[in-house]
Amino acid sequence: MGRDYYAVLEINRNATDTDINKAYRRLALKHHPRGSSHACSAERFILLAEAFDVLSDPRKKATYDKFEEEGLKGGIPSELGASGAWSSGYTYHGNAEETFRQFFGGDNPFADFFTTDGSEVNTGLSTLRGQKEKIQDPPIERDLHLALEDLYYGCTKKIKISRRVMNEDGLTSSIRDKILTFNVKAGWSEGTCITFPNEGDQGPNNIPADIVFVIRQKHHPRFVRQNDDLYYTAHISLEKALTGFSVEVETLDSRLLNIPINDTVHPQYNKVVTGEGMPLASSPSRRGDLIIRFITHFPEKLSAKKQQLLKQALTDPIINI
């Protein structure tokens, strides 16, 4: 009587493809010569590989289920064979390590499933031919520092990255450079993310990570940005704060604004210039506001005469003419 491949894998004849895959995975890891101290493990490991090679292939399995091992390996007479059945004799190639490698994937798959002390690592498998499920590496985030002018106008950026790429043989890899190009849209704000899917290091058993660039805004010598508004700080004297003046502001697009200030500049006073802020990312034709804040510089010392004149000017009653 021939071998019972179902018994070898410790499953019944109604086992599904998933059952076959799970059984081989469990037993192959258990009896792999590099993970077991039993002398008979090598022989059992080869037999497990042969059983899986037959039962995981629909044509071989169909022939085995109908004609057992004798018909599978001896060949099926043409008058007995059904359409699609195995007609020539089957011979297992005998390389159990190759079956193991094809099942789990990778150049050294055994290392992926055992720790240094030989204990099994819990990994997920797909149901397709028992291949190890590929898990994507975590995203790789990098800060991208841009000038405020870049975010005002929009621009095109090119960044060179170095990453590990699989060679054509599917087993070895090498480090190669790649240029990533993307457009920065006018009005983008700090924290905006640009994602390049699957541009991380490649490997036989992984899905490459996404590379994510996070926009960081560089310090600007004139403006502070808050959302779509730009804040500008003007330094003025007490005289100007009380009597009025004009303030000049050079915009990001190099225009010179001359803004009259006719109000008394008190500590909470801000001057709002509508439509002179950052473009809105959702509607670049619209803009936020330019908000001017003031720092008033007081004189360090006043002569007695100036003090008297100032006191008189501030306390004289208002005369209506």
Side-chain angles (χ1 to χ4, degrees):
M1 184 176 180
R3 292 190 181 94
D4 186 343
Y5 289 136
Y6 289 97
V8 170
L9 291 177
E10 299 179 6
I11 54 178
N12 59 48
R13 288 184 171 265
N14 295 323
T16 64
D17 290 342
T18 300
D19 296 331
I20 294 170
N21 290 333
K22 287 182 178 180
Y24 176 71
R25 176 185 182 276
R26 177 177 60 85
L27 294 172
L29 290 172
K30 179 180 178 181
H31 294 284
H32 194 291
R34 293 170 60 184
S36 176
S37 59
H38 296 291
C40 61
S41 287
E43 182 179 348
R44 180 71 190 281
F45 181 68
I46 296 173
L47 187 56
L48 286 167
E50 180 177 334
F52 177 75
D53 186 65
V54 171
L55 297 183
S56 63
D57 185 293
R59 293 182 63 203
K60 297 174 189 174
K61 181 176 181 295
T63 302
Y64 175 77
D65 287 345
K66 188 171 184 179
F67 300 104
E68 300 294 337
E69 184 186 16
E70 182 179 354
L72 178 70
K73 294 186 175 180
I76 309 302
S78 58
E79 63 271 15
L80 297 178
S83 176
W86 197 265
S87 57
S88 58
Y90 162 77
T91 301
Y92 179 57
H93 54 68
N95 191 339
E97 284 285 355
E98 178 63 22
T99 301
F100 185 82
R101 184 179 297 108
Q102 289 178 355
F103 180 87
F104 289 110
D107 190 38
N108 185 16
F110 186 76
D112 293 339
F113 296 93
F114 283 95
T115 62
T116 54
D117 61 2
S119 58
E120 183 179 350
V121 178
N122 185 19
T123 56
L125 298 175
S126 70
T127 58
L128 300 176
R129 289 286 294 163
Q131 294 295 322
K132 185 176 72 172
E133 181 182 2
K134 291 188 176 183
I135 299 176
Q136 186 174 26
D137 292 337
I140 301 170
E141 290 192 359
R142 295 289 182 268
D143 288 343
L144 177 63
H145 295 272
L146 297 178
L148 189 56
E149 286 82 358
D150 290 334
L151 300 172
Y152 182 85
Y153 286 107
C155 61
T156 298
K157 291 292 181 180
K158 294 183 178 181
I159 298 178
K160 183 171 75 171
I161 63 170
S162 297
R163 61 175 187 156
R164 185 169 296 280
V165 178
M166 294 300 296
N167 297 325
E168 292 183 359
D169 60 14
L171 299 175
T172 60
S173 62
S174 57
I175 301 297
R176 300 179 191 174
D177 292 337
K178 183 173 183 178
I179 302 296
L180 301 179
T181 303
F182 59 92
N183 294 321
V184 176
K185 294 184 178 179
W188 273 3
S189 58
E190 174 134 343
T192 299
C193 295
I194 306 105
T195 301
F196 290 88
N198 304 337
E199 290 292 355
D201 289 342
Q202 297 178 357
N205 296 322
N206 74 309
I207 300 173
D210 296 341
I211 295 182
V212 181
F213 291 100
V214 183
I215 288 181
R216 302 299 179 196
Q217 186 176 292
K218 294 180 181 179
H219 169 77
H220 196 274
R222 298 194 306 280
F223 299 107
V224 173
R225 180 181 182 181
Q226 292 186 15
N227 298 322
D228 298 316
D229 296 330
L230 292 176
Y231 283 78
Y232 178 86
T233 299
H235 294 257
I236 61 173
S237 66
L238 178 60
E239 174 193 355
K240 290 183 177 180
L242 297 176
T243 62
F245 61 100
S246 293
V247 60
E248 290 186 344
V249 179
E250 182 183 355
T251 64
L252 289 172
D253 53 1
S254 299
R255 291 176 294 117
L256 190 63
L257 301 179
N258 192 297
I259 304 159
I261 308 297
N262 299 318
D263 303 316
T264 299
V265 178
H266 53 79
Q268 287 75 42
Y269 179 81
N270 289 328
K271 179 67 175 180
V272 178
V273 184
T274 304
E276 289 292 349
M278 293 293 292
L280 276 62
S282 58
S283 180
S285 61
R286 299 170 55 199
R287 281 175 166 73
D289 297 331
L290 169 63
I291 301 172
I292 305 175
R293 297 181 288 204
F294 299 91
I295 295 178
T296 301
H297 295 273
F298 287 73
E300 294 183 359
K301 187 176 181 180
L302 290 174
S303 65
K305 183 177 180 180
K306 287 183 178 180
Q307 290 180 18
Q308 182 63 32
L309 290 173
L310 183 59
K311 182 176 181 180
Q312 182 179 350
L314 294 175
T315 57
D316 277 350
I318 299 175
I319 300 175
N320 295 322
I321 299 176

